[in-house]
Amino acid sequence: MIIKKPTADQAFIESNVAKRFSPLARQMLAASGPIVSSAAAGMTNGFSAILLPQLQQPDSRFTITEEQSSWIASMAPLPMAAGCIIGGLLMERFGRKSAHLLLNVSFAIGWCALSMAQSYPQILIGRFITGFSCGLVGPPASVYIAETSDPRYRGILLASVTFAVSGGILLAHLFGTFFRWQTAALLCSLFMILAYLLMLVSPESPSWLLGRGELQRAETAFRWLRGYGPESRSEFEAMVARSTIGRSQEKPSEGGGRGQEEEEEHATSPYRRREFLMPLATLFVFFATMQFSGVNIVAFYSISLMRTTIGSDGLNEYLAMLIVDLVRVFTSLLACVLLRSVGRRPLAMASGIGTTVSLIGLSIFLYFQTSIPLYRNYSSLSLIFLISYIVFVGIGLFPLPWCMTGEIFPVVTRGLGSGLTSSFNFVCFFAVIKTGPTLFAAVGTNGTFLVYGVISLLGTLLLYVLLPETKNRTLAEIEDQFRAGRQRSAKVLPTVTTVSAGVA
């Protein structure tokens, strides 16, 4: 298909913009809105760690029981699963950009409700709204960034989402260290204004616009992101051609000239094809491994966990919490760099093995620390094991499933696929957070870490079998990879899988 060349005025405007802002800078600007929204999700995850200790202080306006404390911590993860499904539906129906604008408003309402809470039920309402908003941001953030970024930069921009989550946890803990929890919630709400403004100046996803047949708007958005270079022009032509084929396959078949195998594939629902089911199963395993390795237990119960791990005579638990937060942030930054240069599979395997060894090692050391008096004076070693765990889980198991959510689903099923996998992640999230205190009480801190270590090992073995390599591959090539050797798309459109297309 031949795309109409830009007019002289368009080329002039584009050339002036390009002199001031490169395509990479514009892609970074487009990604910045979802990244700031993801930071708010991190603030939600880390907020209970500073909220609960302040509510348990003698000067608190009202007191809470242990059961109420558990519900405050788990109330945010509870609606996240539903939020993911709704977020996926919203971005398919109204667009990726509109979904982000809506979720920023929802987030702001939740934080304001928390800042004005005067009772236990009001805190639960605020936590519910912010948790629901976390679910809303899950699918649109990774999908929007994947669809608006060049394959060369897609990994690092997607990894910035988890970097923002880690930064959000750190910010929530810092706010809670120096301010009352009401003021901390109000400060968190200010970030939603910034995220809203950043999304206002960003374009809609070209892939979503093409899927709706809005060729002119899609071309305008794509040129804003990628410019008018020959490579980007060829990429957009391939996108248009593939989108045309996808829309034609959605129409009722008239049987003209198709073979039996082609007719069967055409008649099959896209949600029953291998290129949808295999990514779904892979990400289910990935998210379960990430959550049940205890990645969010440290964020939600930081203060109490630090008291247990380093002991009452060790480092100040707030200082230890901030040390772990800083390690998490720097590890997320390291993950951005590694995803730019290392493949997904080797990074996942290194992260899984390192996480398993760190968890089991921490479990063994804590057992000796609590059983043998000689080891009680070496509480700082427990912190080293814990930091090792944060590093290894942060370079792979934590960022990779979120990165791949926006990469491995076909464009026609990307909304539901990302919504289902993100929803499953938050179901696991809720289960881990709600059962965490019970598990700590039943088998102790060392036994809990041992359970998480065994789960990490089993999940890593499954990922070794299931996980594909997606580094530097276009979204179209990744889709074809899951078709189990079928070369149908290559026969229909050979240029699609050879052109450097960043958006499918």
Side-chain angles (χ1 to χ4, degrees), residues 81 142 238 431:
S142 55

Side-chain angles (χ1 to χ4, degrees), residues 386-410:
L386 190 59
I387 288 174
S388 172
Y389 162 70
I390 295 295
V391 169
F392 279 110
V393 79
I395 63 172
L397 290 184
F398 185 48
L400 278 174
W402 288 112
C403 292
M404 300 185 76
T405 297
E407 288 183 328
I408 64 178
F409 286 107

Side-chain angles (χ1 to χ4, degrees), residues 137-159:
V137 77
S142 55
V143 169
Y144 180 78
I145 293 175
E147 292 181 345
T148 56
S149 57
D150 188 290
R152 294 171 295 178
Y153 312 120
R154 190 174 65 228
I156 190 171
L157 289 176
L158 285 170

Side-chain angles (χ1 to χ4, degrees), residues 237-377:
E237 290 178 4
M239 288 175 57
V240 173
R242 191 176 186 90
S243 176
T244 302
I245 292 174
R247 290 200 307 273
S248 67
Q249 290 178 346
E250 295 175 0
K251 297 178 181 179
S253 173
E254 298 179 359
R258 286 193 178 98
Q260 181 178 358
E261 181 180 351
E262 195 172 355
E263 283 289 346
E264 291 176 356
E265 182 180 352
H266 175 78
T268 303
S269 167
Y271 300 103
R272 297 173 59 187
R273 296 175 188 167
R274 180 182 176 87
E275 55 266 32
F276 172 73
L277 296 177
M278 284 303 296
L280 191 70
T282 301
L283 286 178
F284 276 177
V285 172
F286 216 150
F287 275 121
T289 303
M290 182 257 283
Q291 290 293 348
F292 284 98
S293 66
V295 65
N296 283 301
I297 283 290
V298 177
F300 267 65
Y301 297 103
S302 294
I303 300 298
S304 58
L305 186 59
M306 289 302 159
R307 288 171 181 164
T308 303
T309 304
I310 65 178
S312 58
D313 298 327
L315 295 171
N316 177 275
E317 61 267 18
Y318 280 89
L319 175 60
M321 176 187 69
L322 293 178
I323 290 174
V324 170
D325 288 343
L326 287 172
V327 172
R328 185 187 292 111
V329 170
F330 283 117
T331 301
S332 299
L333 184 60
L334 176 62
C336 294
V337 176
L338 290 175
L339 282 169
R340 182 76 173 88
S341 56
V342 181
R344 312 301 197 244
R345 278 183 59 84
L347 194 57
M349 294 303 102
S351 174
I353 294 171
T355 298
T356 300
V357 172
S358 298
L359 285 170
I360 295 177
L362 178 58
S363 172
I364 294 173
F365 186 84
L366 284 175
Y367 172 77
F368 283 109
Q369 183 180 340
T370 55
S371 303
I372 303 176
L374 178 64
Y375 288 92
R376 293 177 183 173
N377 296 325

